[in-house]
Amino acid sequence: MIEVDSLVKAFGGDPPKLAVDSLSFRAEPGQVYGLLGPNGAGKTTTLRMLATLLTPDSGTARVAGHDIRSSPEAVRASIGYLSGNTGLYGRLTAREMILYFARLQGVPEPERRTDRLLYRFGIDDYRNQRCDALSTGMGQKVSIARAIVHDPPVLILDEPTAGLDVLVSQTLLEFVEEAKDHGTCLIYSTHIMSEAERLCDRVGILHEGRLLAEGTPEELKEQSAERYLESAFIHFVRAASR
Amino acid sequence: MGGVLLVMMKEMRATLRDPHVIAYLAFPILLYPALIWGVTQFMTLEAGRIEGESLRVAVEAPEVLRQRFDEPPLTLVAGTLDTLDAGEADAFVQLKDDGVLHATVHHSSLRPRSTRTRKAVRKRLDALRDERLVTIAESVGLDPAAVARTSYKGIAIEAPAQTIPGLVAVLLAAMTLISMTLAVIYPAVHVTVSEREAGTLETTLVAPVSGRTLLLGKWAACALWAVSAAAINALAVLLTLAHIAAVMLKGALDVQFSLLGALASVPAVLGAAGFTAATLLLFMVPARTFKQGEVLGSLALGPLMLAMGVGAWGAIEQVAWVIWVPLAGLIPVLRDALIGEPSLAAIAYQALATAGLGALILSLGAALVRREDFLFGGVLPRWIRWAGAR
């Protein structure tokens, strides 16, 4: 469902800084692939390349069978994208916001789909409230509804719980589990190990743009001879820094 | 096309809920009439006060003549030059009649009321002379009409463009274009920088629509705001001018614009709206924050206002080549259209030139729309940050 093949991305400066360095991995439907890494590891850059927001310098990736270089619009039609700093249109109501994206995505019967999502996420009572007046929790629910309004086979979640309190994070984590059971392929970037341990079927540890290790959480713990995923993560990062 | 309309409607809806934009759109409707109402009220009060006041005049003349100075607005008072000095009279008139009236009017040039009295005395003397002429004409068997005052009609030798209607048309065109330009700043900041700042641009760019569609939708919303602002402003200016002509100048300002000419110039106005919207959107590319967007928007106003200035200068000074300068030439073109002398070739040229330049700018923007510097902003000149736009 997602095949990443030797992706490379560097940003300005002299010499340019490699944000992502020959990254390859694969994620299957009904699976959550976790990208773990400290700040500046290249997680967001990788996900932005998969979402076709950035163009890779070299390498490519296929998302839902579409190449990110040659078929970016088809890729965008197949993904739902949600990041921790994803915003809402403050001057639109919750319903208008979801409906707008439903129409942008070409969803058939967009009003019905929107109303269904409002009901599903328990935000029906707030449908006509402007987004800038919604609580953080309600806002995040609108963001999730916006991201999945076209029922995408692939979900890209970039630190989606950043800045959220425990209760709101819980809503999101439950949604990820539900989507996984539904057969969606998810890429989930985080630096919160408990989230990764709970959600991810496979994990890639990213540091300075390179993939240091990859496997199930259990495999990573075994490889590092550590008891916890957090300890395994520190083990791999320290080994790479030496 | 559906995508462009969808984005445009969303932008219109969101921008319409911005109090800044609404305030700006409503501004001319409220400001111009309010200003004129205030001025009219002041002038009416002042005129009423002047009409109501009696102008005191001391007259040294035969009694029959003297009594003729005791009719409104003049009031006859007893006294001589001393009375004027003491402020008890507003003028002192010495009048001798040896068949011809010889008048000497003493007044104070420092007292406005005294000046008004002098003018009223002058009118009264003219009336006395006219009465005498009529009496003389009748006594020798002439038709009194033979000694009536000469009828007068002035005809300006200037071209219509240089007359009052032409100048008013220049004013109307310039104000309309300026308001159009100013009106686009906030919408342009909203549809670009605000989205970037709020993180919504990222979510829009991962939707399966092309960058060109997004850009065109945002541009169309801005251009529509520009046209709306221009229409509202033109209406406000026209109503205000009509009020000035009817109430303040009591019909003395005879300005009539050609509706057909105004309609013929619509394509040129639309082209200018498109060009203005495209220019302001392009200026938003480097901005990262709302404040930076406002600063860059103000910077974009510089060349646009310069073009307007050149246009107004060319229109007033009758500089022929200005008509061929994109945007600037729109002012003389609109002026000619409004006074009923539209040049269809110039209108078509302005429409094509401004629309073409706008399309060129949009193409440049479309080439940038997927690039990191459009998505994330940046490359802002250091001095703009220094100017306080953090």
Side-chain angles (χ1 to χ4, degrees), chain A residues 9 11 48 51 53-54 73 76-77 81 83 85-89 91-92 96 100-101 103-105 146, chain B residues 6-7 10 13-14 17-18 190 195 198-200 202-210 370 372 375-376:
Chain A
K9 181 70 181 176
F11 287 113
R48 280 178 170 162
L53 286 167
L54 297 177
E73 284 199 21
R76 289 198 290 273
Y81 181 85
S83 75
N85 50 19
T86 294
L88 298 170
Y89 290 116
R91 291 196 181 86
L92 297 190
E96 286 168 348
Y100 172 61
F101 279 94
R103 286 179 171 146
L104 268 187
Q105 296 280 0
R146 188 271 308 157
Chain B
L6 183 61
V7 175
K10 189 279 283 180
R13 190 190 299 248
R17 289 174 184 168
D18 176 11
H190 270 300
E195 282 220 33
T200 47
E202 198 173 34
T203 56
T204 314
L205 287 173
V206 292
V209 286
S210 68
R370 286 285 158 189
E372 286 112 66
L375 179 57
F376 306 115

Side-chain angles (χ1 to χ4, degrees), chain B residues 195-228:
Chain B
E195 282 220 33
R196 189 179 288 150
E197 205 171 18
T200 47
L201 190 59
E202 198 173 34
T203 56
T204 314
L205 287 173
V206 292
V209 286
S210 68
R212 189 179 297 273
T213 300
L214 285 174
L215 192 65
L216 280 176
K218 288 170 185 293
W219 165 81
C222 290
L224 204 55
W225 278 121
V227 173
S228 308

Side-chain angles (χ1 to χ4, degrees), chain B residues 28-346:
Chain B
I29 301 175
L30 300 175
L31 180 73
Y32 301 151
L35 270 178
I36 292 305
W37 180 83
V39 172
T40 311
Q41 288 301 307
F42 175 76
M43 291 181 73
T44 307
L45 280 175
E46 187 65 11
R49 194 178 65 76
I50 291 168
E51 276 174 21
E53 76 184 357
S54 62
L55 305 172
R56 299 161 304 169
V57 61
V59 180
E60 193 180 281
E63 190 56 25
V64 179
L65 280 174
R66 204 169 158 269
Q67 287 305 319
R68 297 301 306 273
F69 289 84
D70 200 16
E71 294 166 13
L74 296 172
T75 303
L76 192 62
V77 295
T80 59
L81 196 57
D82 295 340
T83 328
L84 175 63
D85 281 340
E88 289 164 7
D90 301 310
F92 172 59
V93 181
Q94 289 173 305
L95 197 59
K96 285 181 187 167
D97 184 6
D98 55 5
V100 176
L101 286 173
H102 301 278
T104 308
V105 182
H106 302 263
H107 68 101
S108 166
S109 57
L110 297 176
R111 292 186 229 155
R113 198 159 117 154
S114 184
T115 307
R116 287 198 292 277
T117 307
R118 180 176 63 84
K119 287 178 182 168
V121 167
R122 179 68 189 264
K123 275 189 184 173
R124 189 58 48 85
L125 289 169
D126 286 345
L128 287 173
R129 186 202 56 186
D130 290 348
E131 284 172 21
R132 287 189 169 199
L133 280 173
V134 170
T135 309
I136 292 166
E138 282 172 345
S139 68
V140 296
L142 276 176
D143 181 357
V147 293
R149 290 194 174 185
T150 312
S151 88
Y152 172 84
K153 186 182 179 188
I155 297 175
I157 59 165
E158 290 81 11
Q162 287 176 301
T163 57
I164 294 295
L167 293 175
V168 174
V170 169
L171 177 76
L172 179 62
M175 287 182 77
T176 303
L177 291 181
I178 288 169
S179 71
M180 168 195 283
T181 309
L182 289 173
V184 185
I185 294 183
Y186 270 112
V189 175
H190 270 300
V191 303
T192 52
V193 190
S194 292
E195 282 220 33
R196 189 179 288 150
E197 205 171 18
T200 47
L201 190 59
E202 198 173 34
T203 56
T204 314
L205 287 173
V206 292
V209 286
S210 68
R212 189 179 297 273
T213 300
L214 285 174
L215 192 65
L216 280 176
K218 288 170 185 293
W219 165 81
C222 290
L224 204 55
W225 278 121
V227 173
S228 308
I232 289 170
N233 192 79
L235 191 66
V237 172
L238 278 175
L239 289 175
T240 307
L241 285 175
H243 182 78
I244 292 173
V247 178
M248 292 173 69
L249 302 175
K250 301 189 191 317
L253 179 65
D254 185 22
V255 176
Q256 288 187 344
F257 291 135
S258 158
L259 180 63
L260 209 60
L263 289 175
S265 62
V266 165
V269 175
L270 293 179
F275 171 73
T276 307
T279 305
L280 277 157
L281 280 181
L282 185 74
F283 265 73
M284 293 303 131
V285 171
R288 279 183 178 156
T289 64
F290 194 90
K291 186 75 182 166
Q292 288 176 351
E294 283 183 319
V295 172
L296 286 169
S298 306
L299 285 178
L301 285 183
L304 292 172
M305 290 297 172
L306 183 67
M308 308 287 179
V310 170
W313 166 77
I316 292 166
E317 296 293 328
Q318 296 286 294
V319 183
W321 57 263
V322 171
I323 214 163
W324 304 113
V325 180
L327 198 66
L330 197 57
I331 292 180
V333 165
L334 280 178
R335 187 244 354 242
D336 292 345
L338 286 171
I339 60 174
E341 296 178 353
S343 160
L344 294 181

Side-chain angles (χ1 to χ4, degrees), chain A residues 13-72:
Chain A
D14 190 22
K17 186 183 180 305
L18 267 179
V20 175
D21 186 3
S22 303
L23 182 66
S24 300
F25 64 86
R26 184 183 170 89
E28 301 296 336
Q31 192 181 63
V32 179
Y33 188 94
L35 272 182
L36 257 61
N39 291 334
K43 303 187 296 289
T44 298
T45 303
T46 302
L47 298 188
R48 280 178 170 162
M49 283 193 282
L50 293 179
T52 73
L53 286 167
L54 297 177
T55 310
D57 295 336
S58 68
T60 191
R62 290 181 74 77
V63 177
H66 307 290
D67 191 279
I68 59 169
R69 283 176 174 277
S70 57
S71 312

